[in-house]
């Protein structure tokens, strides 16, 4: 199957279902799933509902989700983060999103991201551009790092990630001294969507969980941006990091990352 556009309405229907669940829950429970990591019953309800819908509409395509797992065996697969930015959501911070991508092998080909409390839904199909509703998206044209707004992914929580957190601290010092602003938003899906939307000039996430990143990666590429692994190679589902940039700051940001790695 290579007519990916025919699957976008299914992804949008899944987003509609997910958005309604997130917005309608006046109360919810929070449970720990690791050190300083959490899950809410909304995460689980969204993932279960989206899995049910995708299972009916595309039973031949497996689903890999953050909460219920799953495994891709090559070919097409869906990947879902039911609430990206759960820590924000649990505190009533409206920066959270539902992220759903269709991946062909290791490259995303259909993407939808819904930010339920911001009133915006992003979508993309490989070769057909990136959109916020009916608005075609383009990455920013910033070329001077002094004009750039860059977001960084959250610090890692695991004890064995101390070296990666050292890199994050180095990036904060280095970019903080030269960029217009540094932001830590707390959701990879919105980070990436906002690079595609031109609200951010780049985002540096030193991890790559496909449910977090694959939808936003396609948005950025379809909006004219670049998405790389930390070694400068093209990003894929198998990458170790997710660095999404407007073309004008690519060289400067990658050089900064290299200095601090």
């Amino acid at each position: 199957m290579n007519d990916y556009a025919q699957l976008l309405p299914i992804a949008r229907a899944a987003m509609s279902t997910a958005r309604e669940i997130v917005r309608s829950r006046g109360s919810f429970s929070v449970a720990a799933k690791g050190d300083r990591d959490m899950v809410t019953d909304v995460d689980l309800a969204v993932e279960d509902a989206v899995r049910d819908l995708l299972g009916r509409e595309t039973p031949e395509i497996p689903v890999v989700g953050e909460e219920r797992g799953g495994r891709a065996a090559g070919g097409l697969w869906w990947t879902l983060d039911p609430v990206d930015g759960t820590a924000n959501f649990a505190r009533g911070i409206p920066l959270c999103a539902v992220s759903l991508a269709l991946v062909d092998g290791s490259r995303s080909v259909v993407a939808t991201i819904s930010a339920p409390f911001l009133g915006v839904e992003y979508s993309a199909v490989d070769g057909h551009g990136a959109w916020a509703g009916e608005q075609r998206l383009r990455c920013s044209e910033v070329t001077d790092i002094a004009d750039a707004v860059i977001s960084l992914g959250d610090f890692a929580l695991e004890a064995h990630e101390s070296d990666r957190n050292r890199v994050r601290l180095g990036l904060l010092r280095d970019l903080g001294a030269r960029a217009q602003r540094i932001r830590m938003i707390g959701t990879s899906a919105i980070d990436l969507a906002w690079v595609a939307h031109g609200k951010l000039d780049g985002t540096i996430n030193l991890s790559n969980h496909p449910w977090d990143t694959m939808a936003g990666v396609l948005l950025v590429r379809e909006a004219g941006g670049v998405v790389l692994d930390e070694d400068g190679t093209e990003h894929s589902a198998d990458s170790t990091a997710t660095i999404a940039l407007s073309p004008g700051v690519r060289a400067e940001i990658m050089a900064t990352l290299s200095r601090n790695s």
Side-chain angles (χ1 to χ4, degrees):
M1 181 186 298
N2 55 19
D3 186 8
Y4 304 122
Q6 68 181 324
L7 294 176
L8 181 60
I10 296 171
R12 284 179 165 159
M15 281 295 107
S16 179
T17 296
R19 183 170 57 250
E20 179 60 27
I21 294 171
V22 174
R23 290 181 60 88
S24 66
R25 292 295 182 97
S27 61
F28 51 86
S29 64
V30 181
K33 66 175 184 178
D35 181 23
R36 293 176 290 159
D37 197 7
M38 66 189 71
V39 62
T40 73
D41 58 354
V42 176
D43 295 74
L44 299 174
V46 169
E47 181 154 335
D48 290 344
V50 171
R51 281 179 177 273
D52 285 347
L53 186 152
L54 295 176
R56 293 192 304 271
E57 298 293 335
T58 57
E60 73 283 3
I61 302 177
V63 180
V64 178
E66 179 175 14
E67 307 304 340
R68 303 298 193 190
R71 189 161 61 94
L76 292 177
W77 50 288
W78 295 104
T79 185
L80 167 70
D81 192 334
V83 180
D84 187 46
T86 299
N88 286 349
F89 173 71
R91 289 296 188 98
I93 298 170
L95 295 175
C96 61
V98 184
S99 179
L100 176 66
L102 179 69
V103 184
D104 192 344
S106 62
R107 188 176 177 90
S108 44
V109 293
V110 175
T112 52
I113 292 175
S114 177
F117 302 112
L118 302 182
V120 61
E121 181 176 312
Y122 295 95
S123 64
V125 175
D126 186 36
H128 294 271
W131 303 82
E134 301 302 316
Q135 177 189 356
R136 183 82 179 253
L137 301 182
R138 295 299 300 174
C139 290
S140 85
E141 297 181 355
V142 166
T143 58
D144 188 339
I145 195 68
D147 296 325
V149 180
I150 307 294
S151 73
L152 298 181
D154 284 341
F155 283 88
L157 304 178
E158 299 85 359
H160 69 273
E161 290 277 15
S162 58
D163 284 345
R164 303 288 273 179
N165 284 337
R166 176 188 55 78
V167 175
R168 291 176 174 92
L169 287 169
L171 290 169
L172 281 171
R173 286 192 301 268
D174 197 329
L175 290 172
R178 296 181 298 117
Q180 185 182 94
R181 291 291 187 276
I182 304 299
R183 296 287 181 254
M184 188 172 282
I185 292 165
T187 155
S188 302
I190 290 179
D191 283 332
L192 290 161
W194 282 359
V195 173
H197 207 156
K199 297 176 183 293
L200 296 172
D201 304 294
T203 185
I204 302 171
N205 188 341
L206 298 181
S207 66
N208 181 42
H209 301 302
W211 45 83
D212 289 336
T213 60
M214 294 306 289
V217 164
L218 182 61
L219 289 174
V220 173
R221 285 179 171 150
E222 289 295 315
V226 294
V227 191
L228 308 171
D229 202 348
E230 58 190 313
D231 62 359
T233 58
E234 287 292 313
H235 180 278
S236 76
D238 302 316
S239 295
T240 60
T242 309
I243 299 105
L245 307 167
S246 57
V249 298
R250 173 179 180 166
E252 183 72 20
I253 296 298
M254 294 308 293
T256 302
L257 181 60
S258 179
R259 280 198 303 273
N260 287 279
S261 296

